[in-house]
């Protein structure tokens, strides 16, 4: 019933893409996101996570809000023309965002976990050591940033992003809230206080998640991501009062039962990510007047 | 000048021992602990840590209190009769404790770090996977517990302790604050609220350290330990009002500069350790009456 209307998402920044005849997620343009079951155990495991979590009354309501709403599974025509395949049906979290800036950050210094094949272990360990996962406790998987000065998007190739060192990751987090992301000059962090800061901003949301991860022993999330995004149109038109900066947790193909132990791997990485956001806010607080001046006069 | 008075510490629970003619730390019985420089870079690195940290004004005073005081380095007769060797001179943190219970907990799910030899990397990774380091974010390195019912110490062999799984580590943390540690019955957690709980207890101290690790980017500590200990004599005589429960951080042969990033590996493991202590406090709160009754009537 959905198959005719489904198309590749416009704002995907990481993971498999449905473009160019490949297998990837689809959206219906009306708020639903169809993620094809990944091969082997992973698709089933992710569906199981959403089944468990969406009906889990032990997780508080405000925490449920940090996960895409789950609408069951459905068999629809796959994006690669291989016929009908089961898909996990989720909320398309960026529905209603016209010009979103989006970043996908894979949390945790370790993406491997007990009882996996030696092959998968070595693959994960190699990627963790070859990216900022080990050094920072997270790695940026991909992003697109709307550049206000150029009125266009900047979306570097994922191989470039995966090659980031600590300083480059820090720079990308600054550019994410800057009006001059595409330029080679110092990012102005013009939107830092509006997007990262404030009582509903990214930092406040991350701190709520942190408080939950300090005590929750239900799930351990490996290779899961924080997706953060905001609306640029509102920043352009109304000074960012309706930027709808949001954090969502995504990708649960590798979740495990917590068995009474907190997810120290996710929590440690999340705290490291939080510290970098706090650093940006602090440095932009100190130069707020300069930035406001620069931004107002640059437009 | 010290050489005649130095002897092997009575209350060491982990690491190399100076007993039986081996190379290990010594104490002077007057409050000083002499740690021989470990071979290769490690001894120098640990001395460097204490030099840096003891003069570091960026770390708050109350945090300095969680580290043994540093008294420089000194060349003294080594415990193994190999002649004079440089030693790091530290505060002997258990001076004045008559019947201490002590536990050494190595914090962090990962003891390896960038830029080490492949041999050391593999050794660390193997130990991390073979102990609770990966699953819990920490592993117990050793302990001795004074059993009140038997009036004697229980100190299992370090190979037994290293072989603990998650449930066994959790059990050891319960026995650490029980009056019946040596028995095979359920640990009574009779001292949990006095030792782990309270405004000066172990949990309160761990939470202060946690708050510091959430923001400090000076040091990354690999293979460092939380040492926790308390006085049993006071528990026996005065109901535990002067148990002097304390936390100290020790072992810095593998510290690195933080380079502006928090120590997410240490912090994650510390948070996991804290959660287990909180769990014990919560379950012993619920059975406090039973425990008090059992303890009073058992003695």
């Amino acid at each position: 019933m959905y198959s005719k209307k489904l198309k590749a998402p416009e704002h995907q920044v990481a993971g498999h893409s449905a473009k160019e005849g490949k297998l990837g997620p689809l959206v219906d343009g009306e708020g639903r996101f169809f993620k094809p079951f990944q091969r082997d155990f992973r698709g089933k495991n992710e569906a199981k996570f959403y089944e468990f979590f969406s009906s889990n009354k032990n997780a508080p309501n405000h925490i449920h809000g940090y996960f895409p709403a789950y609408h069951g599974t459905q068999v629809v025509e796959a994006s690669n023309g291989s016929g009908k395949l089961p898909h996990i049906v989720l909320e398309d979290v960026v529905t209603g965002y016209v010009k979103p800036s989006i970043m996908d950050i894979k949390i945790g210094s370790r993406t491997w976990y007990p009882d996996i094949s030696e092959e998968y272990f070595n693959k994960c360990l190699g990627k963790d050591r070859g990216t900022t996962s080990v050094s920072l406790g997270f790695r940026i998987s991909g992003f697109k940033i709307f550049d206000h000065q150029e009125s266009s998007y900047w979306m570097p190739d994922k191989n470039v992003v995966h090659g980031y060192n600590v300083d480059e990751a820090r720079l990308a987090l600054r550019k994410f809230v800057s009006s001059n992301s595409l330029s080679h000059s110092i990012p102005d962090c013009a939107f830092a206080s509006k997007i990262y800061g404030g009582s509903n901003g990214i930092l406040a949301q991350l701190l709520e998640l942190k408080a939950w991860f300090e005590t929750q022993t239900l799930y351990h999330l490996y290779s899961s991501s924080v997706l953060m995004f905001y609306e640029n149109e509102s920043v352009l038109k109304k000074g960012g009062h309706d930027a709808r900066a949001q954090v969502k947790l995504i990708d649960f193909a590798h979740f495990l039962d917590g068995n009474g132990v907190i997810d120290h791997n996710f929590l440690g990485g999340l705290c490291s990510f939080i510290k970098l956001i706090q650093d940006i806010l602090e440095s932009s607080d100190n130069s707020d007047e300069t930035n406001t001046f620069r931004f107002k006069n640059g437009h």
Side-chain angles (χ1 to χ4, degrees), chain A residues 110-183:
Chain A
R110 172 164 60 85
T111 54
W112 58 269
Y113 46 94
D115 302 327
I116 49 169
S117 71
E118 207 59 14
E119 186 193 344
Y120 185 69
F121 165 75
N122 284 318
K123 188 180 150 192
C124 288
L125 184 62
K127 278 193 191 177
D128 295 344
R129 294 177 84 184
T131 62
T132 61
S133 291
V134 165
S135 50
L136 273 178
F138 66 85
R139 62 179 182 251
I140 300 177
S141 291
F143 61 83
K144 58 191 278 186
I145 304 177
F146 186 76
D147 183 288
H148 286 245
Q149 294 185 354
E150 304 289 333
S151 258
S152 67
Y153 271 110
W154 174 48
M155 182 170 165
D157 183 80
K158 72 175 177 183
N159 292 319
V160 172
V161 177
H162 288 170
Y164 278 177
N165 62 23
V166 170
D167 288 337
E168 287 161 338
R170 200 186 283 274
L171 186 65
L173 290 173
R174 295 179 69 87
K175 289 196 170 207
F176 189 67
V177 290
S178 290
S179 72
N180 60 343
S181 312
L182 274 164
S183 91

Side-chain angles (χ1 to χ4, degrees), chain A residues 12-31:
Chain A
Q12 191 182 342
V13 296
H16 304 283
S17 167
K19 286 174 182 165
E20 295 161 16
K22 292 186 187 150
L23 184 63
L26 297 164
V27 293
D28 69 357
E30 291 167 11

